Coordinates of all heavy atoms in Angstrom, one line a residue:
G1 N 16.6 -13.1 25.2 CA 15.2 -13.3 25.0 C 14.9 -13.7 23.6 O 15.7 -13.6 22.7
A2 N 13.7 -14.1 23.4 CA 13.2 -14.4 22.0 C 13.1 -13.2 21.1 O 12.8 -12.1 21.6 CB 11.8 -15.1 22.1
P3 N 13.4 -13.4 19.8 CA 13.3 -12.2 18.9 C 11.9 -11.7 18.8 O 10.9 -12.5 18.9 CB 13.8 -12.7 17.6 CG 13.7 -14.2 17.7 CD 13.8 -14.6 19.2
R4 N 11.7 -10.4 18.8 CA 10.4 -9.9 18.6 C 10.1 -9.6 17.2 O 10.9 -9.1 16.4 CB 10.3 -8.5 19.4 CG 10.4 -8.8 20.9 CD 10.3 -7.5 21.6 NE 10.3 -7.7 23.0 CZ 9.8 -6.9 23.9 NH1 9.3 -5.8 23.5 NH2 9.8 -7.2 25.2
E5 N 8.9 -10.0 16.8 CA 8.4 -9.9 15.4 C 7.1 -9.1 15.4 O 6.2 -9.4 16.2 CB 8.3 -11.2 14.7 CG 8.0 -11.1 13.2 CD 8.2 -12.5 12.5 OE1 8.3 -13.5 13.2 OE2 8.1 -12.4 11.3
P6 N 7.0 -8.1 14.6 CA 5.7 -7.3 14.5 C 4.6 -8.2 14.2 O 4.7 -9.2 13.4 CB 6.0 -6.3 13.4 CG 7.4 -6.2 13.3 CD 8.0 -7.6 13.6
V7 N 3.4 -7.9 14.8 CA 2.2 -8.7 14.6 C 1.8 -8.8 13.1 O 1.3 -9.8 12.6 CB 1.0 -8.2 15.5 CG1 0.6 -6.9 15.0 CG2 -0.1 -9.2 15.5
Q8 N 2.1 -7.7 12.4 CA 1.8 -7.7 10.9 C 2.5 -8.8 10.2 O 2.0 -9.4 9.3 CB 2.1 -6.3 10.3 CG 1.2 -5.2 10.9 CD 1.8 -4.5 12.1 OE1 2.6 -5.1 12.8 NE2 1.4 -3.3 12.3
Y9 N 3.8 -9.0 10.5 CA 4.6 -10.1 9.9 C 4.1 -11.4 10.3 O 4.1 -12.4 9.6 CB 6.0 -9.9 10.2 CG 6.7 -8.7 9.5 CD1 7.8 -8.2 10.1 CD2 6.3 -8.2 8.3 CE1 8.5 -7.1 9.5 CE2 6.9 -7.2 7.7 CZ 8.0 -6.6 8.3 OH 8.7 -5.5 7.7
I10 N 3.7 -11.6 11.6 CA 3.2 -12.9 12.1 C 1.9 -13.2 11.4 O 1.8 -14.4 10.9 CB 3.0 -12.8 13.6 CG1 4.4 -12.6 14.3 CG2 2.3 -14.1 14.1 CD1 4.3 -12.3 15.8
L11 N 1.0 -12.3 11.3 CA -0.3 -12.5 10.6 C -0.1 -12.6 9.1 O -0.9 -13.3 8.4 CB -1.3 -11.5 10.9 CG -1.7 -11.4 12.4 CD1 -2.6 -10.2 12.6 CD2 -2.4 -12.7 12.9
G12 N 0.8 -11.9 8.5 CA 1.1 -11.9 7.1 C 0.2 -11.0 6.3 O 0.2 -10.9 5.1
E13 N -0.7 -10.3 7.0 CA -1.6 -9.3 6.3 C -2.1 -8.3 7.4 O -2.0 -8.5 8.6 CB -2.8 -10.0 5.7 CG -3.7 -10.8 6.6 CD -4.8 -11.5 5.9 OE1 -4.6 -12.1 4.9 OE2 -5.9 -11.5 6.5
W14 N -2.6 -7.2 6.9 CA -3.0 -6.1 7.8 C -3.8 -5.1 7.0 O -3.6 -4.9 5.8 CB -1.7 -5.4 8.3 CG -2.0 -4.6 9.6 CD1 -2.0 -3.2 9.7 CD2 -2.2 -5.1 10.9 NE1 -2.2 -2.9 11.0 CE2 -2.3 -4.0 11.7 CE3 -2.3 -6.4 11.4 CZ2 -2.6 -4.1 13.1 CZ3 -2.5 -6.5 12.8 CH2 -2.6 -5.4 13.6
P15 N -4.8 -4.5 7.6 CA -5.6 -3.5 6.9 C -4.8 -2.2 6.7 O -3.9 -1.9 7.5 CB -6.9 -3.3 7.8 CG -6.4 -3.7 9.1 CD -5.4 -4.8 8.9
F16 N -5.2 -1.5 5.7 CA -4.6 -0.2 5.5 C -5.6 0.8 4.9 O -6.2 0.5 3.8 CB -3.4 -0.3 4.5 CG -2.7 1.0 4.2 CD1 -1.9 1.6 5.1 CD2 -3.0 1.7 3.0 CE1 -1.3 2.9 4.9 CE2 -2.5 3.0 2.8 CZ -1.6 3.5 3.7
Y17 N -5.8 1.9 5.5 CA -6.7 2.9 5.1 C -8.1 2.4 4.6 O -8.8 1.9 5.4 CB -6.0 3.8 4.0 CG -6.7 5.1 3.8 CD1 -6.8 6.1 4.7 CD2 -7.4 5.4 2.6 CE1 -7.5 7.3 4.5 CE2 -8.1 6.5 2.3 CZ -8.1 7.5 3.3 OH -8.8 8.7 3.1
N18 N -8.3 2.4 3.3 CA -9.6 1.9 2.8 C -9.5 0.5 2.2 O -10.4 0.1 1.5 CB -10.1 2.9 1.7 CG -9.1 3.1 0.6 OD1 -8.0 2.4 0.6 ND2 -9.3 3.9 -0.4
L19 N -8.4 -0.2 2.5 CA -8.2 -1.6 2.0 C -8.4 -2.6 3.2 O -7.7 -2.4 4.2 CB -6.8 -1.7 1.4 CG -6.5 -0.7 0.3 CD1 -5.0 -0.7 0.0 CD2 -7.3 -1.0 -0.9
E20 N -9.3 -3.5 3.0 CA -9.6 -4.5 4.1 C -8.3 -5.2 4.6 O -8.1 -5.5 5.7 CB -10.6 -5.5 3.6 CG -11.1 -6.4 4.7 CD -12.2 -7.3 4.2 OE1 -13.1 -6.8 3.4 OE2 -12.2 -8.5 4.5
R21 N -7.5 -5.6 3.6 CA -6.2 -6.3 4.0 C -5.2 -6.2 2.8 O -5.6 -6.1 1.7 CB -6.5 -7.7 4.3 CG -7.0 -8.6 3.2 CD -7.4 -10.0 3.8 NE -7.9 -10.8 2.7 CZ -7.3 -11.9 2.2 NH1 -6.2 -12.3 2.7 NH2 -7.8 -12.5 1.2
L22 N -4.0 -6.1 3.3 CA -2.8 -6.2 2.4 C -1.9 -7.3 2.9 O -1.7 -7.4 4.1 CB -2.1 -4.9 2.4 CG -2.7 -3.7 1.7 CD1 -1.8 -2.5 1.9 CD2 -2.9 -3.9 0.2
K23 N -1.3 -8.0 2.0 CA -0.2 -8.9 2.4 C 1.0 -8.1 2.9 O 1.4 -7.1 2.2 CB 0.2 -9.8 1.2 CG -0.9 -10.8 0.8 CD -0.4 -11.7 -0.3 CE -1.5 -12.7 -0.7 NZ -1.0 -13.6 -1.7
I24 N 1.6 -8.5 4.0 CA 2.7 -7.8 4.6 C 3.7 -8.9 4.9 O 3.4 -9.9 5.6 CB 2.3 -7.1 5.9 CG1 1.2 -6.1 5.6 CG2 3.5 -6.4 6.5 CD1 1.6 -4.9 4.7
R25 N 5.0 -8.7 4.5 CA 6.0 -9.7 4.9 C 7.4 -9.0 4.8 O 7.6 -8.1 3.9 CB 5.9 -11.0 4.1 CG 6.1 -10.8 2.6 CD 6.0 -12.2 1.9 NE 6.1 -12.0 0.5 CZ 5.1 -12.1 -0.4 NH1 3.9 -12.3 0.1 NH2 5.2 -11.9 -1.7
P26 N 8.3 -9.5 5.6 CA 9.7 -8.9 5.5 C 10.3 -9.3 4.2 O 10.0 -10.3 3.6 CB 10.4 -9.5 6.7 CG 9.5 -10.6 7.2 CD 8.2 -10.5 6.6
P27 N 11.2 -8.4 3.7 CA 11.8 -7.3 4.3 C 11.0 -6.0 4.0 O 11.5 -4.9 4.3 CB 13.2 -7.2 3.6 CG 12.9 -7.7 2.3 CD 11.9 -8.8 2.4
T28 N 9.8 -6.1 3.4 CA 9.1 -4.9 3.1 C 8.6 -4.2 4.4 O 8.2 -4.9 5.3 CB 7.8 -5.3 2.2 OG1 8.3 -6.0 1.1 CG2 7.1 -4.1 1.8
L29 N 8.7 -2.9 4.4 CA 8.3 -2.2 5.6 C 6.8 -2.2 5.8 O 6.0 -2.3 4.8 CB 8.7 -0.7 5.4 CG 10.2 -0.4 5.4 CD1 10.4 1.1 5.2 CD2 10.9 -0.9 6.6
I30 N 6.3 -2.2 7.0 CA 4.9 -2.2 7.4 C 4.4 -0.8 7.2 O 5.0 0.1 7.8 CB 4.8 -2.7 8.8 CG1 5.3 -4.2 9.0 CG2 3.3 -2.6 9.3 CD1 5.5 -4.6 10.4
P31 N 3.3 -0.6 6.5 CA 2.7 0.7 6.4 C 2.3 1.2 7.8 O 1.7 0.5 8.6 CB 1.5 0.6 5.5 CG 1.7 -0.7 4.8 CD 2.6 -1.6 5.7
R32 N 2.7 2.5 8.1 CA 2.4 3.0 9.4 C 1.2 4.0 9.4 O 0.7 4.4 8.3 CB 3.7 3.8 9.8 CG 4.9 3.0 9.9 CD 6.1 3.7 10.4 NE 5.9 4.6 11.5 CZ 5.8 4.2 12.8 NH1 6.0 2.9 13.1 NH2 5.6 5.1 13.7
P33 N 0.7 4.3 10.5 CA -0.5 5.3 10.6 C -0.1 6.6 9.8 O -1.0 7.2 9.2 CB -0.7 5.5 12.1 CG -0.2 4.2 12.7 CD 1.0 3.8 11.9
E34 N 1.1 7.0 9.9 CA 1.5 8.2 9.2 C 1.4 8.1 7.7 O 1.1 9.1 7.0 CB 3.0 8.6 9.6 CG 3.2 9.0 11.0 CD 3.4 7.8 11.9 OE1 3.3 6.6 11.5 OE2 3.7 8.0 13.1
T35 N 1.5 6.9 7.2 CA 1.3 6.6 5.8 C -0.1 6.8 5.4 O -0.4 7.3 4.3 CB 1.8 5.2 5.4 OG1 3.1 5.0 6.0 CG2 1.9 5.0 3.9
E36 N -1.0 6.4 6.3 CA -2.5 6.6 6.0 C -2.7 8.1 6.0 O -3.5 8.6 5.2 CB -3.3 5.9 7.1 CG -3.2 4.4 7.0 CD -4.2 3.7 7.9 OE1 -4.7 4.3 8.9 OE2 -4.4 2.5 7.7
E37 N -2.1 8.9 6.9 CA -2.2 10.3 6.9 C -1.8 10.9 5.6 O -2.4 11.9 5.1 CB -1.5 10.9 8.1 CG -2.1 10.6 9.4 CD -1.3 11.1 10.6 OE1 -0.4 11.9 10.4 OE2 -1.5 10.7 11.7
L38 N -0.7 10.4 5.0 CA -0.2 10.9 3.7 C -1.2 10.7 2.7 O -1.5 11.6 1.9 CB 1.1 10.1 3.4 CG 1.6 10.4 2.0 CD1 2.1 11.9 1.9 CD2 2.8 9.5 1.6
V39 N -1.9 9.5 2.6 CA -2.9 9.2 1.7 C -4.1 10.2 1.8 O -4.6 10.8 0.9 CB -3.5 7.8 1.8 CG1 -4.7 7.5 1.0 CG2 -2.4 6.8 1.4
E40 N -4.5 10.5 3.1 CA -5.5 11.5 3.4 C -5.1 12.8 2.8 O -6.0 13.6 2.3 CB -5.8 11.5 4.9 CG -6.5 10.3 5.4 CD -6.8 10.4 6.9 OE1 -6.2 11.2 7.6 OE2 -7.5 9.5 7.4
M41 N -3.9 13.2 3.0 CA -3.4 14.6 2.5 C -3.5 14.6 1.0 O -3.9 15.7 0.5 CB -2.0 14.9 3.0 CG -1.9 15.3 4.5 SD -0.3 16.0 4.9 CE 0.8 14.7 4.5
V42 N -3.0 13.6 0.4 CA -3.1 13.6 -1.1 C -4.5 13.7 -1.6 O -4.8 14.5 -2.5 CB -2.4 12.3 -1.7 CG1 -2.6 12.2 -3.2 CG2 -0.9 12.3 -1.4
L43 N -5.4 12.9 -1.0 CA -6.8 13.0 -1.4 C -7.4 14.3 -1.2 O -8.2 14.9 -2.0 CB -7.6 11.9 -0.7 CG -7.2 10.4 -1.2 CD1 -7.9 9.4 -0.2 CD2 -7.6 10.2 -2.6
R44 N -7.1 14.9 0.0 CA -7.6 16.2 0.4 C -7.1 17.3 -0.5 O -7.8 18.2 -0.9 CB -7.3 16.5 1.8 CG -7.9 17.8 2.3 CD -7.4 18.1 3.7 NE -6.0 18.4 3.8 CZ -5.1 17.7 4.6 NH1 -5.6 16.9 5.4 NH2 -3.9 18.0 4.5
D45 N -5.8 17.3 -0.8 CA -5.2 18.4 -1.5 C -5.2 18.3 -3.0 O -5.0 19.3 -3.7 CB -3.7 18.5 -1.1 CG -3.6 18.9 0.4 OD1 -4.6 19.3 1.0 OD2 -2.5 18.8 0.9
A46 N -5.6 17.1 -3.6 CA -5.7 17.0 -5.0 C -6.9 17.8 -5.5 O -8.0 17.6 -5.0 CB -5.8 15.5 -5.4
A47 N -6.8 18.6 -6.5 CA -7.9 19.3 -7.1 C -8.9 18.4 -7.7 O -10.1 18.6 -7.6 CB -7.4 20.4 -8.1
A48 N -8.4 17.3 -8.3 CA -9.3 16.3 -8.9 C -8.4 15.0 -9.0 O -7.2 15.1 -8.9 CB -9.7 16.8 -10.3
A49 N -9.1 13.9 -9.3 CA -8.4 12.7 -9.5 C -7.5 12.8 -10.8 O -8.0 13.2 -11.8 CB -9.3 11.5 -9.7
P50 N -6.2 12.5 -10.7 CA -5.4 12.6 -11.8 C -5.6 11.4 -12.8 O -6.2 10.4 -12.5 CB -4.0 12.5 -11.3 CG -4.1 11.6 -10.0 CD -5.5 12.0 -9.5
A51 N -5.2 11.6 -14.1 CA -5.4 10.6 -15.1 C -4.4 9.4 -14.7 O -4.7 8.2 -14.9 CB -5.1 11.1 -16.5
R52 N -3.2 9.8 -14.2 CA -2.2 8.8 -13.8 C -1.3 9.4 -12.8 O -1.2 10.6 -12.6 CB -1.5 8.2 -15.0 CG -0.6 9.3 -15.7 CD 0.1 8.7 -16.9 NE -0.7 8.6 -18.1 CZ -0.9 9.6 -19.0 NH1 -0.3 10.7 -18.8 NH2 -1.6 9.4 -20.0
F53 N -0.6 8.5 -12.1 CA 0.4 8.9 -11.1 C 1.5 7.8 -11.0 O 1.3 6.7 -11.4 CB -0.1 9.3 -9.7 CG -0.7 8.1 -9.0 CD1 0.1 7.3 -8.1 CD2 -2.0 7.9 -9.0 CE1 -0.4 6.3 -7.4 CE2 -2.6 6.8 -8.3 CZ -1.8 6.0 -7.5
L54 N 2.7 8.2 -10.5 CA 3.8 7.4 -10.4 C 4.2 7.3 -8.9 O 4.3 8.3 -8.2 CB 5.0 7.9 -11.2 CG 6.4 7.3 -10.9 CD1 6.4 5.9 -11.5 CD2 7.5 8.1 -11.6
E55 N 4.4 6.1 -8.4 CA 5.0 5.9 -7.1 C 6.3 5.2 -7.2 O 6.4 4.2 -7.8 CB 4.0 5.1 -6.2 CG 4.6 5.0 -4.8 CD 3.7 4.2 -3.8 OE1 2.7 3.6 -4.2 OE2 4.1 4.1 -2.6
V56 N 7.3 5.8 -6.6 CA 8.7 5.2 -6.6 C 8.9 4.6 -5.2 O 8.7 5.3 -4.2 CB 9.7 6.3 -6.9 CG1 11.1 5.7 -6.8 CG2 9.5 6.9 -8.2
G57 N 9.2 3.4 -5.2 CA 9.5 2.7 -3.9 C 8.2 2.3 -3.2 O 8.0 2.6 -2.0
P58 N 7.3 1.6 -3.8 CA 6.0 1.3 -3.3 C 5.9 0.3 -2.1 O 4.9 0.3 -1.4 CB 5.2 0.8 -4.4 CG 6.2 0.1 -5.3 CD 7.4 1.0 -5.2
G59 N 7.0 -0.5 -1.9 CA 6.9 -1.5 -0.9 C 5.8 -2.5 -1.1 O 5.7 -3.2 -2.1
S60 N 4.8 -2.4 -0.2 CA 3.6 -3.3 -0.3 C 2.6 -2.8 -1.3 O 1.6 -3.5 -1.6 CB 2.9 -3.4 1.0 OG 2.4 -2.2 1.4
G61 N 2.8 -1.6 -1.8 CA 1.8 -1.0 -2.7 C 0.7 -0.3 -2.0 O -0.3 0.2 -2.7
A62 N 0.8 -0.1 -0.7 CA -0.3 0.4 0.1 C -0.8 1.8 -0.4 O -2.0 2.0 -0.6 CB 0.1 0.5 1.6
I63 N 0.1 2.7 -0.6 CA -0.3 4.1 -1.0 C -1.0 4.1 -2.4 O -2.1 4.6 -2.5 CB 1.0 5.0 -1.0 CG1 1.5 5.2 0.4 CG2 0.6 6.4 -1.6 CD1 2.8 5.9 0.5
S64 N -0.3 3.5 -3.4 CA -0.9 3.4 -4.7 C -2.3 2.8 -4.7 O -3.3 3.3 -5.3 CB 0.0 2.7 -5.7 OG 1.1 3.4 -6.0
L65 N -2.4 1.6 -4.0 CA -3.7 0.9 -4.0 C -4.8 1.7 -3.3 O -5.9 1.7 -3.7 CB -3.5 -0.5 -3.4 CG -2.6 -1.4 -4.3 CD1 -2.2 -2.6 -3.5 CD2 -3.3 -1.7 -5.6
A66 N -4.4 2.3 -2.2 CA -5.4 3.1 -1.4 C -5.9 4.3 -2.3 O -7.1 4.6 -2.3 CB -4.8 3.7 -0.1
L67 N -5.0 4.9 -3.0 CA -5.4 6.0 -3.9 C -6.3 5.5 -5.1 O -7.3 6.1 -5.5 CB -4.2 6.8 -4.5 CG -3.4 7.6 -3.4 CD1 -2.1 8.1 -4.0 CD2 -4.3 8.7 -2.9
L68 N -5.9 4.4 -5.6 CA -6.7 3.8 -6.7 C -8.1 3.4 -6.3 O -9.0 3.5 -7.1 CB -6.0 2.6 -7.3 CG -4.7 2.9 -8.2 CD1 -4.0 1.6 -8.5 CD2 -5.1 3.7 -9.4
R69 N -8.2 3.0 -5.0 CA -9.6 2.6 -4.5 C -10.4 3.9 -4.5 O -11.6 3.8 -4.8 CB -9.4 2.1 -3.1 CG -10.7 1.8 -2.3 CD -11.6 0.7 -2.9 NE -11.1 -0.5 -3.3 CZ -10.8 -1.6 -2.6 NH1 -11.0 -1.6 -1.3 NH2 -10.4 -2.7 -3.2
E70 N -9.8 5.0 -4.2 CA -10.6 6.3 -4.2 C -10.8 6.9 -5.6 O -11.7 7.6 -5.9 CB -9.9 7.3 -3.3 CG -9.8 6.9 -1.9 CD -11.2 6.8 -1.2 OE1 -12.1 7.6 -1.5 OE2 -11.4 5.8 -0.4
W71 N -9.8 6.6 -6.5 CA -9.8 7.2 -7.8 C -9.9 6.0 -8.9 O -8.9 5.7 -9.5 CB -8.5 8.0 -8.1 CG -8.3 9.2 -7.3 CD1 -9.3 10.0 -6.7 CD2 -7.1 9.8 -6.9 NE1 -8.7 11.1 -6.1 CE2 -7.4 10.9 -6.2 CE3 -5.8 9.4 -7.1 CZ2 -6.4 11.8 -5.6 CZ3 -4.8 10.2 -6.6 CH2 -5.1 11.4 -5.9
P72 N -11.1 5.5 -9.1 CA -11.2 4.3 -9.9 C -10.8 4.5 -11.4 O -10.5 3.5 -12.1 CB -12.7 3.9 -9.7 CG -13.4 5.1 -9.2 CD -12.4 5.9 -8.5
N73 N -10.9 5.7 -11.9 CA -10.5 5.9 -13.3 C -9.1 6.3 -13.5 O -8.7 6.7 -14.6 CB -11.5 7.0 -13.9 CG -12.9 6.5 -13.9 OD1 -13.2 5.3 -14.2 ND2 -13.8 7.3 -13.5
T74 N -8.3 6.3 -12.4 CA -6.9 6.7 -12.5 C -6.0 5.4 -12.7 O -6.4 4.3 -12.3 CB -6.5 7.4 -11.2 OG1 -7.2 8.6 -11.0 CG2 -5.0 7.7 -11.1
R75 N -4.9 5.6 -13.4 CA -3.9 4.6 -13.6 C -2.7 4.9 -12.8 O -2.3 6.1 -12.7 CB -3.6 4.4 -15.1 CG -4.7 3.9 -15.9 CD -4.4 3.7 -17.4 NE -3.1 2.9 -17.5 CZ -3.1 1.6 -17.9 NH1 -4.2 1.1 -18.2 NH2 -2.0 1.0 -18.0
A76 N -2.1 3.9 -12.2 CA -0.9 4.1 -11.4 C 0.3 3.2 -12.0 O 0.0 2.1 -12.5 CB -1.1 3.7 -10.0
T77 N 1.5 3.8 -11.9 CA 2.7 3.0 -12.1 C 3.5 3.1 -10.9 O 3.7 4.1 -10.3 CB 3.5 3.6 -13.3 OG1 2.7 3.6 -14.5 CG2 4.8 2.8 -13.6
A78 N 3.9 1.9 -10.4 CA 4.8 1.8 -9.2 C 6.0 1.1 -9.5 O 6.0 0.0 -10.1 CB 4.0 1.1 -8.1
V79 N 7.2 1.7 -9.2 CA 8.5 1.1 -9.6 C 9.3 1.0 -8.3 O 9.3 1.8 -7.4 CB 9.2 1.9 -10.6 CG1 8.5 1.9 -12.0 CG2 9.5 3.4 -10.2
D80 N 10.1 -0.1 -8.3 CA 10.9 -0.4 -7.1 C 12.1 -1.2 -7.6 O 12.0 -2.0 -8.5 CB 10.2 -1.2 -6.0 CG 10.8 -1.0 -4.7 OD1 12.0 -1.3 -4.5 OD2 10.0 -0.6 -3.8
L81 N 13.3 -0.9 -7.0 CA 14.5 -1.7 -7.3 C 14.5 -3.1 -6.7 O 15.2 -4.0 -7.2 CB 15.7 -0.9 -6.9 CG 16.1 0.4 -7.6 CD1 17.3 1.0 -6.9 CD2 16.3 0.1 -9.1
C82 N 13.7 -3.2 -5.6 CA 13.6 -4.5 -4.9 C 12.6 -5.4 -5.5 O 11.4 -5.1 -5.5 CB 13.3 -4.2 -3.4 SG 13.0 -5.7 -2.4
A83 N 13.1 -6.6 -6.1 CA 12.1 -7.5 -6.7 C 11.1 -8.0 -5.7 O 9.9 -8.2 -6.1 CB 12.9 -8.7 -7.3
H84 N 11.4 -8.1 -4.5 CA 10.5 -8.6 -3.5 C 9.3 -7.6 -3.4 O 8.1 -8.0 -3.3 CB 11.2 -8.8 -2.1 CG 10.2 -9.1 -1.0 ND1 9.7 -10.4 -0.8 CD2 9.6 -8.4 -0.1 CE1 8.9 -10.4 0.2 NE2 8.8 -9.2 0.7
A85 N 9.6 -6.3 -3.3 CA 8.6 -5.3 -3.2 C 7.7 -5.3 -4.5 O 6.5 -5.1 -4.4 CB 9.2 -3.9 -3.0
V86 N 8.3 -5.4 -5.6 CA 7.5 -5.5 -6.9 C 6.5 -6.6 -6.8 O 5.3 -6.4 -7.1 CB 8.5 -5.6 -8.1 CG1 7.6 -5.8 -9.4 CG2 9.3 -4.3 -8.2
E87 N 7.0 -7.8 -6.4 CA 6.1 -9.0 -6.3 C 5.0 -8.8 -5.3 O 3.9 -9.1 -5.6 CB 6.9 -10.2 -6.0 CG 6.1 -11.5 -5.9 CD 5.3 -11.8 -7.2 OE1 5.8 -11.5 -8.3 OE2 4.3 -12.5 -7.0
L88 N 5.4 -8.2 -4.1 CA 4.4 -8.0 -3.1 C 3.3 -7.0 -3.5 O 2.1 -7.1 -3.3 CB 5.0 -7.5 -1.8 CG 4.1 -7.4 -0.6 CD1 3.4 -8.7 -0.3 CD2 4.9 -7.0 0.6
S89 N 3.7 -5.9 -4.2 CA 2.8 -4.9 -4.7 C 1.8 -5.6 -5.8 O 0.6 -5.3 -5.7 CB 3.6 -3.8 -5.4 OG 4.2 -3.0 -4.5
R90 N 2.4 -6.4 -6.6 CA 1.5 -7.1 -7.6 C 0.5 -8.0 -6.9 O -0.6 -8.0 -7.3 CB 2.4 -7.9 -8.5 CG 3.1 -7.1 -9.6 CD 3.8 -8.1 -10.6 NE 4.5 -7.3 -11.6 CZ 5.7 -7.5 -12.0 NH1 6.4 -8.5 -11.5 NH2 6.3 -6.7 -12.9
E91 N 1.0 -8.8 -5.9 CA 0.1 -9.6 -5.2 C -1.0 -8.8 -4.5 O -2.2 -9.2 -4.5 CB 0.8 -10.4 -4.1 CG 1.7 -11.5 -4.7 CD 2.5 -12.2 -3.6 OE1 2.0 -12.3 -2.4 OE2 3.7 -12.6 -3.8
N92 N -0.7 -7.7 -3.9 CA -1.7 -6.9 -3.3 C -2.6 -6.2 -4.3 O -3.8 -6.0 -4.0 CB -1.0 -5.8 -2.4 CG -0.6 -6.5 -1.0 OD1 -1.3 -7.4 -0.5 ND2 0.5 -6.0 -0.5
G93 N -2.1 -5.9 -5.5 CA -3.0 -5.4 -6.5 C -4.1 -6.5 -6.9 O -5.3 -6.1 -7.0
V94 N -3.7 -7.7 -7.0 CA -4.6 -8.8 -7.3 C -5.6 -9.0 -6.1 O -6.8 -9.1 -6.2 CB -3.9 -10.1 -7.6 CG1 -4.8 -11.3 -7.7 CG2 -3.1 -9.9 -8.9
L95 N -5.0 -9.0 -4.9 CA -5.8 -9.3 -3.7 C -6.9 -8.2 -3.5 O -8.0 -8.6 -3.1 CB -4.9 -9.2 -2.4 CG -5.5 -9.4 -1.1 CD1 -6.1 -10.8 -0.9 CD2 -4.5 -9.1 0.0
T96 N -6.6 -7.0 -3.8 CA -7.6 -5.9 -3.7 C -8.5 -5.7 -4.9 O -9.4 -4.9 -4.9 CB -6.9 -4.6 -3.4 OG1 -6.0 -4.3 -4.4 CG2 -6.1 -4.6 -2.1
G97 N -8.2 -6.4 -6.0 CA -8.9 -6.2 -7.2 C -8.6 -4.9 -7.9 O -9.4 -4.5 -8.8
L98 N -7.4 -4.4 -7.6 CA -7.1 -3.1 -8.2 C -5.9 -3.2 -9.2 O -5.4 -2.2 -9.6 CB -6.7 -2.1 -7.1 CG -7.9 -1.7 -6.2 CD1 -7.4 -1.0 -4.9 CD2 -8.9 -0.9 -6.9
S99 N -5.5 -4.4 -9.6 CA -4.4 -4.5 -10.5 C -4.7 -4.3 -11.9 O -5.9 -4.3 -12.3 CB -3.7 -5.9 -10.4 OG -4.7 -6.9 -10.7

């Protein structure tokens, strides 16, 4: 049969939590509903917005960008060994106006 491709990869973008759309493309993983739950837990459990935070392995940048949307005075650093993920995170930062 024909290879199956996730709709997010076909469309090339997808909403995530409080972000209208993020660019999504392989080989970066597609953010899952459980990832949105993680963002909710961090926001709920944080005593206050931090001055800064670090994300290791951001992929599309979904987690960092969703947190930055909620914490506008916070700075984030996201690092990844995969150049593709770094580029996609940067693109999504520009797309969301959060870079």
